[in-house]
Each structure stands twice: as structure tokens, then as C-alpha cells.
Amino acid sequence: MAETKSNRVVRRGRIFPEIQWSEERKAQWEAESKAFRQRCEVIFKQVQPELIKTHYNWYIAVEPESGDYFIDKNDMVATKIALEKHPHRKLHLFRINETGVCGTI
């Protein structure tokens, strides 16, 4: 019986090796992400006390430019509703609880 030999080449490493971020670019991205989260968190902290009473453990998608927020039991539905109104804007998703995050690490 003849055995077939695999011609498959195993590739290891980055999917796109030509895309390499410098340390400055990484730091810039992290700073921008942190600033965006802080802008969203201001809106979340304003509405959190009233929403925690009626919508505990629901999700809230915040769009900081307009100050709009959208809530739903399902995180994907809250995101979808927010993107329908603001299709080309960044959103941040929080969980309506004491910390604003879901689960623990």
C-alpha cells in the first residue's frame, strides 16, 4: 500500500507580518482607547444610579459624541440599536451593575 505524503506547509507566526506597530503607535492607541472609555464612562456614571434599580445586569451602549445611550437585556441587541442610529461612530458597551463590567478576571 502506498502512503501519501502531505505537501502542506506549516506556517507559524503572524498572520500579516508586514503589519508591525511601533511602540509609539501602541502607546498612542492605548491612550486614545483610554480617553474614549473615560468620555463614555462619564455618561454611564450619570445614568447608572437610576438604571441599576430597574435594569440590573442589562447592557448599555454609549455613544459619547451625542450623549446617547441604548439599553437592552442582550449586548448584541443594544449594540445593534446604537449602530442603527449612529452607524459610523464608535460605541462603548457597559453592563448596568456596580462596576460597569461583566464577570471577573
Side-chain angles (χ1 to χ4, degrees):
M1 178 183 275
E3 292 185 31
T4 59
K5 190 173 182 179
S6 174
N7 292 337
R8 184 174 160 205
V9 176
V10 178
R11 295 187 175 109
R12 297 202 163 114
R14 296 182 56 93
I15 296 174
F16 300 106
E18 65 276 4
I19 301 174
Q20 297 287 328
W21 278 14
S22 65
E23 292 302 317
E24 295 82 21
R25 177 67 179 115
K26 288 179 190 176
Q28 178 188 4
W29 182 82
E30 288 174 3
E32 289 171 358
S33 296
K34 186 176 181 180
F36 180 77
R37 178 181 163 75
Q38 288 174 345
R39 289 190 359 240
C40 293
E41 199 165 11
V42 169
I43 297 167
F44 174 67
K45 294 291 184 188
Q46 289 174 354
V47 298
Q48 179 190 22
E50 65 186 46
L51 291 178
I52 206 166
K53 298 174 190 170
T54 57
H55 297 91
Y56 191 78
N57 273 340
W58 284 35
Y59 294 92
I60 179 170
V62 178
E63 196 286 307
E65 301 300 324
S66 65
D68 290 344
Y69 59 91
F70 308 88
I71 60 173
D72 197 89
K73 285 183 182 180
N74 187 327
D75 59 338
M76 297 304 287
V77 174
T79 304
K80 182 180 176 187
I81 294 168
L83 288 174
E84 284 174 0
K85 182 153 186 198
H86 302 286
H88 301 293
R89 300 265 180 100
K90 282 179 62 175
L91 306 169
H92 193 79
L93 193 70
F94 294 96
R95 186 121 186 213
I96 302 172
N97 57 22
E98 293 80 10
T99 61
V101 296
C102 20
T104 58
I105 297 176

